[in-house]
Amino acid sequence: MGSYVISDIHGCYDELIRMLEKINLGDSDTLICAGDYIDKGPKNAEVLEWIMNVPPNVILLRGNHDEDFAQNIEAMRIISYKMDLDRDSLQDTKTLYQSMKKLAKKDASVKFDRCETVYELIESGYTFSQLCAWADRIKNMPYLYETKVSGRTCIIVHAGYIRRLDTPELKAMYSSREEFYMNARGDGFTNGGIMHGMVVAGHTPTIKEEEFAYNDGWVFRRYDEERDFLFYDIDCGCWMRYAEKKNARLACLGLEAVSYTHLRAHETTLHL
């Protein structure tokens, strides 16, 4: 019986399936997925189909790209009420999408379908009815999951965990704790975390040299001795292998292997 964490699949369906085969996930195991199932990678539809059919021992958390997708579909849903459209019609779905694009262009603050995943799905033949079903599934995903690892509290979240936004600087950067959960980067370690516990997150690719969690595409691990706090970033930028980043990987952290001793992060992790 084991517990595993994967994050930032980003449309890398083939890598996901190979990882599930590699860990040989059984009914008595638990897999926690820390968000960002879509955008950037090659097989978004396949990953969306997968999230609709996972067994009970797979726990799906929400990431910022998933949130964006749900908001895109909600915006389309609002204007669809004003149009006499058939949600099961592909042509009507294309008309609805183009109408939304035109509206978004009129307001620079509106960020609609930035990664063009909605467009890609529609062009692949998916209707608005199916898009709504996927968006509704995402809206039912929690932001975080709490468990115990070696007797310590472990919080799994997309980007970072914080108990409260208690400084003016943090309140200026994040409108809510949920936004912190989905969008924090270095703040996830420096300002977030949990005393005598650990956080496992993704969101910040460890393959990007300019990021605080850069580790040449391996899982990033950092320990704060003063707080007795352990932080893992397991987003190894898998989708970037399609942008010719040779060290881009999909990582899977086995929670039973985690230790507060000075192991290197990749010694507790499977990679593809």
Side-chain angles (χ1 to χ4, degrees):
M1 189 170 72
S3 299
Y4 303 93
V5 189
I6 294 175
S7 188
D8 294 86
I9 297 165
H10 281 300
C12 296
Y13 178 76
D14 293 343
E15 290 84 353
L16 167 65
I17 297 305
R18 292 207 305 273
M19 182 61 80
L20 295 178
E21 292 170 350
K22 191 169 186 177
I23 65 176
N24 192 25
L25 188 74
D27 293 341
S28 61
D29 299 320
T30 301
L31 173 67
I32 306 105
C33 298
D36 277 10
Y37 306 96
I38 56 170
D39 291 344
K40 302 181 178 181
K43 293 189 175 182
N44 293 300
E46 288 86 345
V47 177
L48 286 166
E49 294 285 4
W50 179 79
I51 70 173
M52 298 296 282
N53 296 288
V54 295
N57 61 325
V58 176
I59 297 162
L60 303 176
L61 306 180
R62 196 184 321 193
N64 61 302
H65 282 263
D66 315 310
E67 181 91 341
D68 286 348
F69 177 83
Q71 290 180 355
N72 288 334
I73 302 308
E74 187 59 30
M76 291 175 67
R77 197 188 319 241
I78 290 170
I79 69 167
S80 74
Y81 296 139
K82 302 176 182 179
M83 305 170 71
D84 186 18
L85 299 176
D86 179 358
R87 292 188 177 193
D88 293 310
S89 163
L90 183 57
Q91 187 55 53
D92 282 5
T93 300
K94 291 181 178 180
T95 299
L96 174 59
Y97 180 85
Q98 292 304 323
S99 297
M100 187 65 225
K101 286 287 284 186
K102 288 178 183 177
L103 283 173
K105 284 182 179 179
K106 295 178 181 179
D107 187 344
S109 67
V110 176
K111 306 297 183 184
F112 177 72
D113 199 23
R114 286 180 289 182
C115 294
E116 298 192 334
T117 297
V118 178
Y119 175 79
E120 168 203 314
L121 293 168
I122 294 171
E123 288 300 304
S124 297
Y126 292 95
T127 65
F128 188 54
S129 179
Q130 181 63 67
L131 299 178
C132 286
W134 286 330
D136 290 342
R137 177 69 181 92
I138 288 167
K139 288 190 290 186
N140 284 320
M141 292 177 184
Y143 291 98
L144 54 83
Y145 177 79
E146 183 175 326
T147 187
K148 291 287 185 181
V149 175
S150 301
R152 298 172 183 256
T153 298
C154 171
I155 293 176
I156 300 159
V157 66
H158 180 60
Y161 172 76
I162 197 166
R163 289 185 62 190
R164 55 183 176 271
L165 300 172
D166 53 6
T167 68
E169 291 78 15
L170 286 171
K171 290 176 181 177
M173 292 173 62
Y174 305 100
S175 61
S176 64
R177 284 186 301 168
E178 288 76 17
E179 186 178 347
F180 189 95
Y181 299 157
M182 291 188 295
N183 290 294
R185 293 202 186 273
D187 285 331
F189 178 76
T190 57
N191 291 306
I194 181 170
M195 291 279 287
H196 310 298
M198 64 180 287
V199 168
V200 179
H203 184 58
T204 302
T206 68
I207 200 168
K208 283 191 173 183
E209 294 185 23
E210 66 272 20
E211 296 289 358
F212 87 102
Y214 175 70
N215 196 27
D216 197 27
W218 295 104
V219 163
F220 174 85
R221 178 188 191 275
R222 181 168 290 177
Y223 178 64
D224 182 332
E225 188 171 352
E226 183 177 345
R227 293 186 290 165
D228 187 24
F229 164 54
L230 185 60
F231 179 85
Y232 277 92
D233 181 344
I234 64 170
D235 176 8
C236 297
C238 184
W239 69 271
M240 294 182 192
R241 62 177 55 192
Y242 297 96
E244 300 184 354
K245 284 276 191 179
K246 65 179 181 179
N247 290 340
R249 303 175 174 94
L250 181 67
C252 180
L253 181 70
L255 292 181
E256 282 73 24
V258 169
S259 169
Y260 276 69
T261 60
H262 295 291
L263 290 171
R264 288 178 294 177
H266 63 264
E267 291 175 342
T268 65
T269 316
L270 295 169
H271 296 85
L272 286 175

